[in-house]
Amino acid sequence: MFKKVLVANRGEIAVRIIRACRELGMETVAVFSEADRNALHVRYADEAYLLGPAPSRESYLRADKIFEVARKSGADAIHPGYGFLAEREDFAEKCAEAGIKFIGPKASSIAAMGDKAEARATVIKAGVPVVPGTEDVGNMTNEQLLAKAPLIGFPLLIKATAGGGGKGMREVKSLEEMPALLQSARREAESSFGDGNVYLEKLVEGARHIEFQILADSHGNVVHLGERECSIQRRHQKLLEEAPSPFLSEELRQKMGSVAVKAAQAVDYVNAGTIEFLVDKDENYYFLEMNTRLQVEHPVTEMATGIDIVAEQIRIARGRQLSYAQEQIRFNGHAIECRVNAEDPFNGFMPSTGRITHSLLPTGPGVRVDTGVYPGFEITPFYDPMIAKLIVWGETRAQAILRMRRALEEYRIVGVRTNIPFHQTLMDSHRFMGGQFDTRFVEERFTMNDSAERDATSAEIAAILATLVAHQESERSAHIVRRGERDTSNWKWVGRWERMHR
Amino acid sequence: MFKKVLVANRGEIAVRIIRACRELGMETVAVFSEADRNALHVRYADEAYLLGPAPSRESYLRADKIFEVARKSGADAIHPGYGFLAEREDFAEKCAEAGIKFIGPKASSIAAMGDKAEARATVIKAGVPVVPGTEDVGNMTNEQLLAKAPLIGFPLLIKATAGGGGKGMREVKSLEEMPALLQSARREAESSFGDGNVYLEKLVEGARHIEFQILADSHGNVVHLGERECSIQRRHQKLLEEAPSPFLSEELRQKMGSVAVKAAQAVDYVNAGTIEFLVDKDENYYFLEMNTRLQVEHPVTEMATGIDIVAEQIRIARGRQLSYAQEQIRFNGHAIECRVNAEDPFNGFMPSTGRITHSLLPTGPGVRVDTGVYPGFEITPFYDPMIAKLIVWGETRAQAILRMRRALEEYRIVGVRTNIPFHQTLMDSHRFMGGQFDTRFVEERFTMNDSAERDATSAEIAAILATLVAHQESERSAHIVRRGERDTSNWKWVGRWERMHR
Amino acid sequence: MKYITTIESQEFEVEVIDERHIRIGERLIEVDFEAVSGQPVFSLIVDGRSYESFVYPGDEDWEVLLHGRQYQVKVEDEREKRLRAAAGGGVAETGEFHLKAPMPGLVVATPVSEGQEVKKGQVILILESMKMQNELKAPRDGVVGRVRVKAGESVEQKQRLLSLH
Amino acid sequence: MKYITTIESQEFEVEVIDERHIRIGERLIEVDFEAVSGQPVFSLIVDGRSYESFVYPGDEDWEVLLHGRQYQVKVEDEREKRLRAAAGGGVAETGEFHLKAPMPGLVVATPVSEGQEVKKGQVILILESMKMQNELKAPRDGVVGRVRVKAGESVEQKQRLLSLH
């Protein structure tokens, strides 16, 4: 039974896992890159060890160094979080060999589900419907994929075999543009997962992305914690998730839930995992993939069920039985998560880097923020742009939306641009409020800064604000010049300068 | 049916109420003193109006100015929060006269319960047990009180008739010390409530302070939301509250809950209120007083029941029926609140003022922070030292304590001293963990910084930290001198100074 | 001081009278204006209404972010306005455009070469940052001038990448 | 640089060798020491253990707040230590004591008067701040010197209130 957990990750998820360990009375070991010496996970852990330079390949992806830290610190378990080494079967295997408990599924389940092609083949055998694609072949060459594509039909998706989170994914409209897209998808997959393999999948149009959270213990018990609606995406990156889905009927929920449990059982699954489905407008659902790890969006399920998923992961890894049978799991109210990214929504969602100079978190009833950043922390270009998750709970979906609105309006992050205004615009959108959206909604039927929606008063206020700031600036620079002119002795300034730096 | 709510308060509770209004789609009006121009409630409200200078008597207690703001802004309801005008029957009455909805009880209930002497008389008639004291007389002179005291017996308490929150309260051990204590109690009562009247009450020894949250609508429905344990106090100021009380059996909870409902019914109560009891070690309980307003510690009940008390207050004031019948109210898990005060626990809990230069809030699952301050905000000596409330929820009391520990360790407030280390020490106390405490625990059986509990490693780490900081400081000052010597031209410094101020 | 403040095509005449008063058009307005915590976040109370906003200096304009909407605001004093009017108005659409790196990153590909004609919106460079491939597009039609970087190169924020004329 | 660092009666000999190394007693220790966000909050990693602490300058000592416990730490370099030893050690217990306002507030009462003898722990002034009456007590036995304030007066932080000799 382990006592000391090494968290092989960074950012908000490392902080989340460290908190869960601490609340269970377990010691924690953080690892960090040179860019992350002052990161929150380093500050909050009991122990912290440097892995290497900032790029992930030289730090967070260095399994060898992580094992060295585990040995040195005496950590007897590793939690991989999401991304990085979370879905690498060889890493899980080496943990087992080193006598370190991997807090996640068995290596064989990761292998079966991690290779998306094999996963599809496996669940088809278990009777689970899948999206048409290159189900039966892994590691195809570009030539093979180009030959197969017309048989699937366009539009189709190139997806990373080792993938997740939309990375290494490309949409293909025709055969002509496919070679270039294959190349860029492989490049992104290689840099994100260290594995450039890709496969093809038919693009289901007008679809919703709905996933089921699974928990399975080592005694053969498997339950699902209901679904998450994840259709609000941009470039296949999830931006907002909610639970429950406004689209699912109770009947469909039950049906898909038991299919999800079946899919997990097909690979003898243990620990937390997620079964992703596409659901079309006629309520047909297709297995997409299984994520054999904790998801970014797990908090919406936590808020809607009251179950601490990370704590359950640790209990499962310690060999305990699940704390809940399926019929004990209650769904209460509605939860929404907005991913706060360091991206400028008014400038093509361009990533934004820099030092956070100030921050004000929304707090109060029903609001949770999971973040790894704070004022003084530098957002570097080396890692994912997601800097925080804002999660709210309400008794109904309408209440949750109203609460999210006030929380977004309160949230201040200064020093980098964020996509908070995107979420604010989304919360005001009638289609979002009405639950009328699919995975293409953000890209095809949504605009930032629709000038028609601006009212005259706000424009006038914006004009007043800009004028007052501009006026203040020009007064200040004039003042500095005047001060400079007036001073006969500049020694006074030296004194001030030095006092400021004492 | 009102649409625009004036919040006649400041600090965290004003923010709390503004959030509730916003989540119900109502407009909000803030009022502020000259010291609070940049306070969070001013920033978060839709409208904000200056009342006057910093002292409460010239701002937040100026009912006339508040009515003027209500007229000017068109606010058709007032939420008084707690303290200030919350328990002033004349204020509630004037609201009614002005056609403004007072979000709270009727003036007659405030009068009946607000005058503590009258309250005691009223509940005695309804068959509720009370602590022996000067039950039948209000407004007694010092001479009358000194004559009555020996009949009650020492030790006894002087309490403010208009009081609450421990203000204007003094413990008296003998007749000799009573005149001086009467004077200081009256002075504090006058400055806190604008009413210097006091009464006497026998001091129940070894008692716990346990209170019941009541909700009552204007249709005659009254429910209780269970109890809060508030025995962790210092100088009669609550420091930590939890729900449920680790002391109460289910049987006693039921019994006291229905007595609390009876006490509220005795004054024809409407809206949210709290019945405070003392419970001795033999499970005898005595009515202490009713607080006819929202309590500071309402969030622990919200976390344990899932009911938004402020939202319910507003719904009740709008004439709605209660959303819950007694049997629909479920208690789930355990919640704890720590009051974070700007006080130095290592220096006699001396209040601390100054500008907050940095802050890092604990976040994550099961953690809520209600606060009115942020980095850049100045803590002034004019108001209450409570700057934040840290509330956690856990499935069990043990889990809640572990979660509170990690949240306290994460919480950073720089610029003023806080009592966070007090709460950390409390969370480590075996008596607190075991639920073995009464209202005298903090003062009589608790010490900060017990050197016996310090381990050798921590002392060494403290020595290293202090040495490194001292070394850095001395290096820096040496460096400044050296720079000054080396520089032949000091114009360079002027340039830097000016660049910094551009 | 009098300013001409423009949002899209809407002009506001704003006179700053003193710290607490401005005139906008004909209306005299009392303003209570404060920077929050020394940050580019500003609190403004006008007629009792409380507003809070980010105001950032842009390249030429001010960017005002208010209630989740962004306004591009040009503020000119009367002298500047007259000068601009005299110059014939409007910035030339044909001058040289320099593509600068919007953030530090790694150049993944430069799909155009010197002398090539490009259309507005065409991808002219791909930059990887935060594990995302960011496509930088031509802001107008033009001919590619010097390409200063190549695939695999790391670049700093605001570094010149290529020019268009 | 060598320091003698004292917590209560415990002495540590700490030598700061360079930015990453110190010697404590005989042990050479690698330290990774960082100020957080330019605040008096410090992160220290020693032997893989991660610590975070507030370190404030006190009147004579440093106050270190670590895991909810406060340590009063005296840090002297060798020269200071020798000087103090030569002076006979120990600060005089009998010098004049000046009571300063620990925070801004309103003087409520001055229960002592000039020339009066007071005992350690006796209340010598009552100051109202944050709606609380704060009793300021004599730190040792003594005789009251000049009382510089009277009831009803507002005082600034650190203002001298009265002296004790």
Side-chain angles (χ1 to χ4, degrees):
Chain A
M1 202 93 122
F2 55 87
K3 288 240 178 266
K4 194 187 266 194
V5 179
L6 187 156
V7 181
N9 216 304
R10 65 177 301 283
E12 66 86 19
I13 199 64
V15 170
R16 169 73 184 91
I17 297 162
I18 289 168
R19 283 172 170 158
C21 291
R22 180 148 294 172
E23 290 173 9
L24 291 167
M26 252 167 293
E27 284 192 278
T28 52
V29 179
V31 289
F32 61 99
S33 76
E34 282 167 7
D36 278 342
R37 165 63 183 87
N38 288 321
L40 224 44
H41 71 289
V42 175
R43 297 172 56 190
Y44 285 171
D46 296 312
E47 300 181 36
Y49 297 88
L50 180 69
L51 287 175
S56 306
R57 270 182 231 84
E58 302 174 51
S59 51
Y60 298 104
L61 287 168
R62 286 286 300 267
D64 56 334
K65 292 212 173 177
I66 288 168
F67 282 116
E68 198 184 304
V69 170
R71 262 193 304 277
K72 206 185 328 184
S73 64
D76 42 7
I78 292 182
H79 196 306
Y82 53 70
F84 298 130
L85 300 167
E87 291 178 288
R88 297 270 280 263
E89 58 178 293
D90 53 341
F91 184 71
E93 220 154 60
K94 274 189 213 141
C95 283
E97 285 165 19
I100 295 169
K101 186 73 200 172
F102 179 76
I103 302 176
K106 287 173 285 192
S108 60
S109 310
I110 299 179
M113 284 298 191
D115 184 311
K116 305 306 172 193
E118 189 185 334
R120 289 161 56 87
T122 308
V123 301
I124 287 169
K125 266 183 234 145
V128 176
V130 304
V131 183
T134 55
E135 48 266 354
D136 45 356
V137 211
N139 303 5
M140 292 173 100
T141 62
N142 282 3
E143 288 65 36
Q144 290 172 311
L145 291 168
L146 287 164
K148 185 90 182 173
L151 305 178
I152 297 168
F154 295 94
L156 57 74
L157 286 175
I158 302 170
K159 296 179 81 172
T161 308
K167 294 204 172 80
M169 194 185 290
R170 292 291 182 280
E171 190 182 322
V172 189
K173 294 201 190 67
S174 66
L175 195 59
E176 294 80 64
E177 63 176 18
M178 200 166 144
L181 292 168
L182 272 173
Q183 201 174 345
S184 77
R186 286 193 193 270
R187 193 163 47 218
E188 202 171 277
E190 175 69 41
S191 94
S192 297
F193 314 110
D195 176 352
N197 278 313
V198 297
Y199 67 107
L200 305 180
E201 200 177 81
K202 173 131 190 71
L203 187 78
V204 177
E205 293 185 87
R208 285 178 174 254
H209 178 121
I210 294 176
E211 62 187 29
F212 277 75
Q213 175 70 50
I214 295 293
L215 286 178
D217 65 21
S218 52
H219 307 278
N221 303 304
V222 186
V223 299
H224 72 86
L225 306 186
E227 83 282 10
R228 291 186 287 259
E229 165 69 63
C230 311
S231 301
I232 300 293
Q233 308 184 344
R234 191 184 156 273
R235 292 169 68 183
H236 306 290
Q237 302 275 351
K238 295 170 188 166
L239 288 168
L240 176 146
E241 299 95 349
E242 51 185 317
S245 165
F247 183 72
L248 240 54
S249 64
E250 188 51 37
E251 195 197 333
L252 190 53
R253 175 171 301 117
Q254 302 265 354
K255 207 157 55 172
M256 289 177 68
S258 60
V259 166
V261 167
K262 209 184 294 173
Q265 285 166 332
V267 290
D268 201 10
Y269 200 79
V270 171
N271 215 293
T274 298
I275 313 287
E276 297 192 333
F277 292 99
L278 281 184
V279 184
D280 71 18
K281 58 183 190 311
D282 302 320
E283 302 202 345
N284 297 309
Y285 54 92
Y286 305 97
F287 171 87
L288 211 49
E289 61 182 42
M290 176 168 196
N291 293 317
T292 55
R293 52 159 168 88
L294 188 63
Q295 299 273 91
V296 172
E297 58 269 28
H298 75 277
V300 291
T301 302
E302 295 187 325
M303 304 279 275
T305 60
I307 295 171
D308 185 326
I309 293 172
V310 180
E312 281 301 310
Q313 284 195 294
I314 294 169
R315 288 191 195 107
I316 290 167
R318 298 185 103 189
R320 305 273 174 80
Q321 298 244 3
L322 284 179
S323 311
Y324 311 85
Q326 187 68 57
E327 61 275 13
Q328 290 174 303
I329 295 161
R330 303 217 181 293
F331 305 102
N332 180 25
H334 196 96
I336 303 178
E337 169 182 285
C338 289
R339 299 193 186 193
V340 177
N341 294 342
E343 293 175 345
D344 185 352
F346 299 107
N347 185 17
F349 292 87
M350 194 63 78
S352 174
T353 56
R355 188 178 299 279
I356 295 181
T357 56
H358 183 77
S359 145
L360 186 58
L361 297 187
T363 61
V367 176
R368 168 176 165 188
V369 181
D370 277 22
T371 182
V373 306
Y374 60 89
F377 189 70
E378 176 101 23
I379 308 298
T380 63
F382 300 107
Y383 313 111
D384 199 273
M386 196 187 73
I387 56 174
K389 302 186 306 202
L390 171 57
I391 310 115
V392 304
W393 178 90
E395 285 187 41
T396 61
R397 184 167 189 265
Q399 277 185 25
I401 291 175
L402 282 163
R403 183 163 279 169
M404 182 58 90
R405 264 196 206 167
R406 77 101 176 136
L408 289 166
E409 181 61 31
E410 287 176 15
Y411 207 163
R412 302 266 176 276
I413 299 177
V414 190
V416 293
R417 303 297 177 103
T418 75
N419 66 348
I420 290 172
F422 162 80
H423 290 296
Q424 289 183 282
T425 309
L426 185 62
M427 288 299 133
D428 287 344
S429 138
H430 293 288
R431 280 173 177 274
F432 176 75
M433 283 191 259
Q436 298 167 311
F437 52 83
D438 60 29
T439 56
R440 315 301 294 261
F441 171 67
V442 172
E443 279 157 297
E444 295 178 358
R445 289 185 300 287
F446 178 85
T447 47
M448 287 298 296
N449 243 16
D450 184 349
S451 20
E453 282 182 32
R454 287 188 198 152
D455 57 302
T457 312
S458 296
E460 188 176 285
I461 293 298
I464 292 173
L465 279 160
T467 309
L468 287 171
V469 174
H471 178 72
Q472 205 175 57
E473 284 287 297
S474 78
E475 289 285 291
R476 188 171 301 156
S477 42
H479 188 56
I480 283 179
V481 171
R482 278 200 301 278
R483 272 199 319 214
E485 283 165 2
R486 216 174 30 222
D487 265 288
T488 47
S489 156
N490 51 31
W491 282 102
K492 203 184 283 177
W493 301 106
V494 177
R496 285 202 197 175
W497 166 261
E498 297 202 347
R499 273 197 301 283
M500 287 188 58
H501 285 74
R502 232 163 258 165
Chain B
M1 201 92 120
F2 55 86
K3 289 239 179 258
K4 194 187 265 193
V5 179
L6 187 154
V7 181
N9 215 304
R10 65 177 299 283
E12 66 86 20
I13 198 64
V15 170
R16 169 73 185 91
I17 296 162
I18 288 168
R19 283 172 170 158
C21 291
R22 180 147 295 174
E23 290 173 9
L24 291 168
M26 252 167 293
E27 283 192 280
T28 52
V29 179
V31 289
F32 61 99
S33 76
E34 283 166 9
D36 278 341
R37 165 63 182 88
N38 288 321
L40 224 45
H41 71 289
V42 176
R43 296 173 56 190
Y44 285 172
D46 295 312
E47 301 181 36
Y49 297 87
L50 180 70
L51 287 175
S56 306
R57 271 183 231 80
E58 301 174 51
S59 50
Y60 298 105
L61 287 168
R62 286 286 301 268
D64 57 334
K65 291 212 174 177
I66 288 169
F67 282 116
E68 198 184 305
V69 170
R71 263 193 304 278
K72 206 185 326 182
S73 64
D76 42 6
I78 291 182
H79 196 306
Y82 53 69
F84 298 130
L85 301 166
E87 290 178 288
R88 295 270 280 264
E89 57 177 293
D90 52 341
F91 183 71
E93 220 154 59
K94 273 187 214 144
C95 282
E97 286 164 19
I100 294 168
K101 185 73 200 171
F102 179 77
I103 302 177
K106 286 174 283 192
S108 60
S109 309
I110 299 178
M113 284 298 190
D115 186 311
K116 305 306 172 192
E118 190 184 334
R120 289 160 56 86
T122 308
V123 301
I124 287 168
K125 267 183 234 146
V128 176
V130 303
V131 183
T134 55
E135 49 266 354
D136 45 355
V137 211
N139 303 4
M140 292 174 100
T141 63
N142 282 3
E143 289 63 37
Q144 291 172 310
L145 291 168
L146 288 164
K148 185 90 181 175
L151 307 176
I152 296 169
F154 295 94
L156 57 73
L157 285 175
I158 302 170
K159 296 178 82 172
T161 307
K167 294 203 172 81
M169 194 186 290
R170 292 290 183 280
E171 188 181 324
V172 189
K173 293 199 188 69
S174 67
L175 195 59
E176 294 80 64
E177 63 175 19
M178 199 166 144
L181 291 168
L182 272 172
Q183 200 174 345
S184 76
R186 283 192 195 274
R187 193 164 46 219
E188 202 170 275
E190 175 70 39
S191 94
S192 297
F193 314 109
D195 175 352
N197 278 314
V198 296
Y199 68 106
L200 306 180
E201 198 177 80
K202 174 129 189 69
L203 187 77
V204 178
E205 293 184 86
R208 285 180 174 253
H209 178 120
I210 293 175
E211 62 186 29
F212 276 75
Q213 175 70 49
I214 294 291
L215 286 179
D217 65 21
S218 53
H219 307 278
N221 304 303
V222 186
V223 299
H224 73 84
L225 306 187
E227 83 282 10
R228 289 185 288 258
E229 164 71 61
C230 311
S231 301
I232 300 292
Q233 307 184 345
R234 190 184 157 275
R235 292 168 71 183
H236 306 290
Q237 302 275 350
K238 296 171 188 166
L239 289 167
L240 176 145
E241 299 95 348
E242 51 186 318
S245 166
F247 184 72
L248 240 55
S249 64
E250 188 51 40
E251 196 196 332
L252 190 54
R253 176 171 300 119
Q254 302 267 353
K255 205 156 58 174
M256 289 176 68
S258 61
V259 166
V261 167
K262 210 185 292 171
Q265 284 166 334
V267 292
D268 202 9
Y269 200 78
V270 171
N271 214 293
T274 298
I275 313 287
E276 296 191 335
F277 293 99
L278 282 184
V279 184
D280 71 17
K281 58 185 187 314
D282 302 319
E283 303 202 342
N284 298 309
Y285 55 90
Y286 306 97
F287 171 87
L288 211 51
E289 60 182 43
M290 178 169 195
N291 292 318
T292 55
R293 53 162 166 86
L294 188 63
Q295 299 274 90
V296 173
E297 58 270 27
H298 75 277
V300 292
T301 301
E302 295 187 324
M303 302 279 274
T305 61
I307 294 171
D308 185 327
I309 293 172
V310 180
E312 281 301 309
Q313 284 195 294
I314 294 169
R315 287 193 196 107
I316 290 166
R318 298 184 104 188
R320 304 273 173 82
Q321 298 244 3
L322 285 179
S323 312
Y324 311 85
Q326 188 68 56
E327 61 275 13
Q328 290 173 302
I329 294 161
R330 303 216 181 295
F331 306 103
N332 181 25
H334 197 95
I336 303 178
E337 168 182 284
C338 289
R339 299 193 186 193
V340 176
N341 294 343
E343 293 174 346
D344 185 354
F346 299 106
N347 185 18
F349 291 87
M350 194 62 81
S352 174
T353 56
R355 189 177 299 278
I356 295 180
T357 57
H358 183 76
S359 143
L360 185 59
L361 298 186
T363 61
V367 175
R368 167 176 165 188
V369 180
D370 277 22
T371 183
V373 306
Y374 60 89
F377 189 70
E378 177 101 21
I379 309 298
T380 63
F382 299 107
Y383 312 110
D384 199 272
M386 195 186 72
I387 55 174
K389 303 186 306 203
L390 171 57
I391 311 115
V392 304
W393 178 91
E395 284 187 40
T396 62
R397 183 167 189 267
Q399 278 186 25
I401 290 174
L402 282 163
R403 182 164 280 171
M404 183 58 91
R405 265 196 206 166
R406 76 101 177 139
L408 289 165
E409 182 59 32
E410 287 177 14
Y411 208 163
R412 302 265 175 278
I413 299 177
V414 190
V416 294
R417 303 297 177 102
T418 75
N419 66 348
I420 289 173
F422 161 80
H423 290 294
Q424 289 183 282
T425 310
L426 186 62
M427 289 298 134
D428 287 344
S429 138
H430 292 289
R431 280 174 177 275
F432 176 75
M433 283 191 260
Q436 298 167 311
F437 52 84
D438 60 29
T439 56
R440 316 300 293 261
F441 170 67
V442 171
E443 277 156 299
E444 295 177 0
R445 288 183 303 286
F446 178 86
T447 48
M448 286 299 294
N449 245 16
D450 185 348
S451 16
E453 282 181 33
R454 287 189 199 152
D455 58 302
T457 311
S458 296
E460 189 176 284
I461 293 298
I464 293 173
L465 279 160
T467 309
L468 287 171
V469 175
H471 179 73
Q472 203 174 60
E473 284 287 296
S474 78
E475 289 284 291
R476 189 172 301 157
S477 42
H479 187 57
I480 283 178
V481 172
R482 278 202 301 276
R483 272 202 317 218
E485 283 165 2
R486 221 179 19 226
D487 266 287
T488 48
S489 157
N490 51 31
W491 282 104
K492 202 183 286 178
W493 301 106
V494 177
R496 285 201 198 176
W497 167 260
E498 296 202 347
R499 272 198 301 281
M500 287 189 59
H501 286 72
R502 235 164 255 165
Chain C
M1 183 73 105
K2 283 186 185 169
Y3 297 89
I4 312 293
T5 299
T6 316
I7 298 182
E8 286 173 14
S9 56
Q10 198 179 355
E11 273 194 6
F12 300 87
E13 287 183 30
V14 186
E15 182 183 1
V16 179
I17 298 167
D18 60 31
E19 281 201 347
R20 304 283 296 193
H21 297 88
I22 63 168
R23 197 186 312 274
I24 182 159
E26 298 297 302
R27 284 173 298 141
L28 180 69
I29 295 177
E30 196 179 328
V31 292
D32 182 348
F33 174 69
E34 294 267 345
V36 173
S37 307
Q39 298 295 326
V41 174
F42 298 89
S43 167
L44 174 70
I45 303 179
V46 175
D47 283 339
R49 307 289 308 176
S50 176
Y51 300 95
E52 196 164 297
S53 171
F54 287 82
V55 183
Y56 294 108
D59 281 343
E60 291 183 39
D61 299 349
W62 294 88
E63 291 176 11
V64 178
L65 183 62
L66 181 66
H67 294 148
R69 310 216 172 270
Q70 182 168 282
Y71 300 84
Q72 299 283 345
V73 189
K74 188 183 283 299
V75 181
E76 296 168 296
D77 64 27
E78 288 178 311
R79 194 182 52 84
E80 288 169 339
K81 174 81 175 172
R82 275 197 302 274
L83 280 176
R84 193 160 65 91
V91 180
E93 276 285 312
T94 48
E96 192 154 26
F97 165 76
H98 293 285
L99 178 69
K100 293 177 193 167
M103 65 236 158
L106 183 78
V107 175
V108 173
T110 54
V112 296
S113 49
E114 198 170 328
Q116 183 179 335
E117 272 190 36
V118 295
K119 290 274 164 208
K120 180 175 171 178
Q122 186 174 339
V123 175
I124 51 180
L125 200 132
I126 303 174
L127 187 65
E128 183 181 306
S129 187
M130 291 179 164
K131 300 187 150 187
M132 308 267 288
Q133 312 254 327
N134 302 286
E135 300 183 333
L136 308 183
K137 292 172 182 168
R140 57 169 174 78
D141 295 356
V143 175
V144 176
R146 192 167 147 210
V147 180
R148 290 164 187 262
V149 292
K150 52 182 185 296
E153 205 171 309
S154 286
V155 297
E156 297 297 311
Q157 188 164 15
K158 298 208 169 153
Q159 185 176 330
R160 284 190 181 189
L161 305 175
L162 59 73
S163 57
L164 217 63
H165 48 245
Chain D
M1 184 73 105
K2 282 186 186 170
Y3 297 90
I4 312 292
T5 299
T6 316
I7 298 181
E8 287 174 14
S9 57
Q10 195 179 358
E11 273 193 7
F12 299 87
E13 288 184 29
V14 185
E15 182 184 359
V16 179
I17 299 168
D18 60 31
E19 281 201 348
R20 304 282 295 193
H21 297 87
I22 63 167
R23 197 187 312 274
I24 181 158
E26 298 297 302
R27 282 173 299 142
L28 180 69
I29 294 176
E30 196 179 328
V31 292
D32 182 348
F33 174 70
E34 295 267 345
V36 173
S37 306
Q39 299 295 325
V41 174
F42 298 89
S43 167
L44 174 69
I45 303 179
V46 176
D47 283 339
R49 307 289 308 174
S50 176
Y51 300 96
E52 196 164 297
S53 171
F54 287 82
V55 183
Y56 294 108
D59 281 343
E60 291 184 39
D61 298 350
W62 294 88
E63 292 176 10
V64 177
L65 183 61
L66 180 66
H67 293 149
R69 310 216 171 271
Q70 182 169 281
Y71 300 84
Q72 299 282 346
V73 189
K74 187 183 285 298
V75 181
E76 296 168 297
D77 64 27
E78 287 179 311
R79 194 182 53 84
E80 288 168 341
K81 174 80 175 173
R82 275 197 302 272
L83 280 175
R84 193 161 66 90
V91 180
E93 275 287 311
T94 49
E96 192 154 24
F97 165 76
H98 293 283
L99 178 69
K100 292 177 193 166
M103 64 238 158
L106 184 77
V107 175
V108 173
T110 54
V112 296
S113 49
E114 198 168 330
Q116 183 179 336
E117 272 191 34
V118 294
K119 292 275 164 207
K120 179 176 170 177
Q122 186 174 338
V123 174
I124 52 180
L125 200 131
I126 302 174
L127 187 64
E128 183 182 307
S129 187
M130 290 178 164
K131 301 188 149 184
M132 308 267 288
Q133 312 253 328
N134 302 286
E135 301 183 332
L136 307 184
K137 294 170 182 171
R140 58 171 171 78
D141 296 356
V143 175
V144 175
R146 196 171 145 206
V147 180
R148 291 165 186 262
V149 292
K150 51 180 186 294
E153 205 171 306
S154 286
V155 296
E156 297 296 312
Q157 187 165 15
K158 298 209 169 153
Q159 185 176 332
R160 286 188 180 190
L161 305 174
L162 59 74
S163 57
L164 216 63
H165 47 246

